[in-house]
Amino acid sequence: MSSFQGVIRRNIINANTQFEKLGYISSNISNYNTTAYRAVRFDEMLGENGYLDGVVRRSFTVGAPLRTDQPFDVSLSGAGFIPVTSRTGDVTYTRDGAFKLDKDGYLITNDDCLVGDGIKIPANYDAIIIKPNGDVTAVLEAGGKEKKLGTIPVVNFLNPEGLKGGDGNKFICTDDSGEPILMTNHHSVMQGYLERPNVDMYDQVNTVMRLNASMLASFKVMKAVDDMYNKAVTLNQ
């Protein structure tokens, strides 16, 4: 391979890597209003061969709480995930606490997964109280005593970055993440709040602008090298 072709190939590979990074940034921006969305970053690395490569990582910093005052909305104030169970029995993990009730009165996610092992809310409640430790209680009549209905469990992982992204803003545990560890004696559940995504919009826009400039520079280099190559071929004829 000639030196001209090598430069062009290197720039094409580098441009493709930058396009891949741009795709992840676009996903972050499009999910700016998605409850508890975890931002993805694409860390670039320059190899000894001069080619750019990258590693996809997910940020698990806690997003800001958004007050909704809805009784079945919950947010986690610290680290951790809420286990939810699909109707087929698959367990995944989420921080999206926009919960609701199904036709049978069970607390579920927006895509019909049971929260925890299944927490049934009576139809005739006067008030629902979700405590910081995750206990869900109901007051059946005004001025009456609280009745415990269940507990919203909170788990964590030794390596959250090892979790695999799943459908519906959920995560799946892997060998890299380790098994879920039940958190006890915590006070991280906040009723009437949802967690905002941890996307830094200013950083994302700034990165897009830098990527745009970098890709334009790569294309200009490729065009200049291609012109030089064509002139060299013409001179040798």
Side-chain angles (χ1 to χ4, degrees):
M1 180 185 296
S2 70
S3 58
F4 288 116
Q5 292 172 321
V7 171
I8 292 176
R9 183 172 184 272
R10 185 179 299 112
N11 276 273
I12 290 174
I13 293 175
N14 292 348
N16 286 338
T17 301
Q18 291 167 333
F19 270 119
E20 186 177 358
K21 181 175 183 177
L22 183 61
Y24 288 109
I25 295 172
S26 299
S27 178
N28 289 338
I29 293 174
S30 65
N31 282 283
Y32 185 64
N33 290 315
T34 300
T35 301
Y37 174 78
R38 305 291 86 174
V40 176
R41 69 180 190 272
F42 188 82
D43 294 339
E44 293 177 329
M45 298 178 295
L46 185 63
E48 295 180 358
N49 57 5
Y51 296 160
L52 277 178
D53 198 358
V55 177
V56 179
R57 303 184 189 279
R58 195 178 293 272
S59 170
F60 284 97
T61 58
V62 178
L66 173 67
R67 185 170 181 172
T68 66
D69 290 326
Q70 297 300 312
F72 300 120
D73 283 349
V74 299
S75 176
L76 299 180
S77 61
F81 302 84
I82 298 172
V84 295
T85 307
S86 72
R87 299 299 178 174
T88 58
D90 295 323
V91 179
T92 52
Y93 305 89
T94 187
R95 290 182 64 91
D96 184 350
F99 299 144
K100 60 183 181 180
L101 300 182
D102 68 4
K103 60 182 180 62
D104 297 316
Y106 283 96
L107 197 61
I108 61 170
T109 64
N110 281 323
D111 55 356
D112 208 31
C113 290
L114 288 172
V115 177
D117 296 327
I119 301 172
K120 189 169 184 178
I121 308 296
N124 59 339
Y125 68 85
D126 181 71
I128 295 295
I129 301 169
I130 302 177
K131 299 184 178 182
N133 67 352
D135 285 349
V136 181
T137 63
V139 176
L140 300 182
E141 57 184 27
K145 294 182 178 181
E146 296 180 24
K147 177 183 178 181
K148 183 176 177 180
L149 307 174
T151 300
I152 297 175
V154 179
V155 302
N156 207 354
F157 297 85
L158 290 176
N159 178 31
E161 285 198 6
L163 292 169
K164 177 183 177 182
D167 296 332
N169 207 10
K170 300 180 183 65
F171 296 95
I172 302 166
C173 67
T174 67
D175 291 339
D176 291 334
S177 69
E179 292 297 315
I181 302 169
L182 182 66
M183 296 175 63
T184 58
N185 301 319
H186 69 85
H187 295 84
S188 60
V189 179
M190 302 167 58
Q191 182 182 20
Y193 287 84
L194 292 176
E195 182 183 358
R196 289 194 52 79
N198 62 354
V199 176
D200 184 337
M201 185 61 75
Y202 295 104
D203 179 66
Q204 300 298 308
V205 172
N206 182 55
T207 302
V208 168
M209 294 175 65
R210 288 189 287 108
L211 275 176
N212 182 62
S214 179
M215 286 188 287
L216 287 175
S218 293
F219 292 142
K220 287 181 180 179
V221 169
M222 285 189 284
K223 185 178 186 306
V225 172
D226 186 56
D227 290 343
M228 293 171 62
Y229 177 74
N230 289 331
K231 288 179 181 179
V233 171
T234 301
L235 291 175
N236 289 329
Q237 290 179 346

